Amino acid sequence: EPLAALDAGTREQVRGELGELLRAVALPTVLVSHDFEDAAALAESVGILVDGRIVQTGSPAELVDDPRTAFVASFTGANVLGGHARAGASSGTRVALDGGAAVEVADRAEGAVGVVVAPSSVAVAAEAGGGDGVNELEVNVLSAVPRGDRVRVTSSLLAAEIPADVASRVDLSPGAPIVMSFAATEARLVPLGDG
């Protein structure tokens, strides 16, 4: 784990230098990391190890786009909302979330599931009004952290990555009520657990 004990600035610099070195030597290399950003920046292929067994392998992009378990989805940075799925009124699935709210997802599933949503697919607004096919959850802001031209907004349910100009139009002070939303087509369902 060559990057584990480094501060953020040094870690980014060493990650870049290590990437150049690995490409230059062009030898098969095994790198161990508990940080998906490190794995995504340095690896062509990633194997996710849980309890001593590999649960999924693929390129970093494949793992982000098609996680097979809630652990893989969470490890790659996605939101995972636990709940119970049953067939919805349309062709999708209605998921009763563990906190009491419910969402619609275009995927089909039954039973205990994780609703997987990328932070970049989550919108933030001061009030509801998304329309058909949009899941809206009323939450309170836990934090809002600027990251360049984007802001990472977290609540007890979801994290969102939104443009800074959108963030400037919504009260994102800790505790402020907001509506976080995502389209039914932007969410995926995975089985809970890693079996």
Side-chain angles (χ1 to χ4, degrees):
E1 293 187 71
L3 307 174
L6 303 177
D7 63 77
T10 304
R11 182 182 197 124
E12 194 166 324
Q13 178 183 347
V14 171
R15 183 191 296 149
E17 292 172 2
L18 182 57
E20 287 177 19
L21 177 64
L22 292 173
R23 284 187 295 279
V25 297
L27 293 173
T29 305
V30 175
L31 175 75
V32 177
S33 179
H34 288 88
D35 186 319
F36 183 70
E37 284 189 36
D38 290 342
L42 297 170
E44 293 175 10
S45 180
V46 177
I48 309 274
L49 187 68
V50 178
D51 294 330
R53 67 185 178 92
I54 295 178
V55 297
Q56 188 171 349
T57 61
S59 70
E62 289 168 341
L63 296 175
V64 168
D65 292 342
D66 189 24
R68 293 190 200 127
T69 68
F71 181 86
V72 173
S74 179
F75 182 69
T76 61
N79 293 293
V80 181
L81 306 171
H84 189 81
R86 62 179 174 78
S90 63
S91 62
T93 299
R94 183 170 180 77
V95 180
L97 299 178
D98 292 342
V103 295
E104 296 283 336
V105 179
D107 283 358
R108 302 291 288 173
E110 294 273 338
V113 297
V115 178
V116 176
V117 186
S120 59
S121 296
V122 178
V124 173
E127 56 190 43
D132 290 342
V134 175
N135 296 294
E136 296 181 315
L137 300 167
E138 295 180 4
V139 296
N140 292 318
V141 175
L142 291 179
S143 67
V145 179
R147 292 183 172 188
D149 65 347
R150 303 195 61 79
V151 175
R152 183 171 180 88
V153 181
T154 58
S155 72
S156 59
L157 283 179
L158 294 165
E161 297 275 345
I162 61 173
D165 65 323
V166 172
S168 68
R169 292 180 255 152
V170 180
D171 179 6
L172 296 177
S173 57
I178 58 171
V179 174
M180 297 182 107
S181 61
F182 58 90
T185 55
E186 290 291 324
R188 303 199 51 216
L189 296 177
V190 295
L192 286 183
D194 294 306

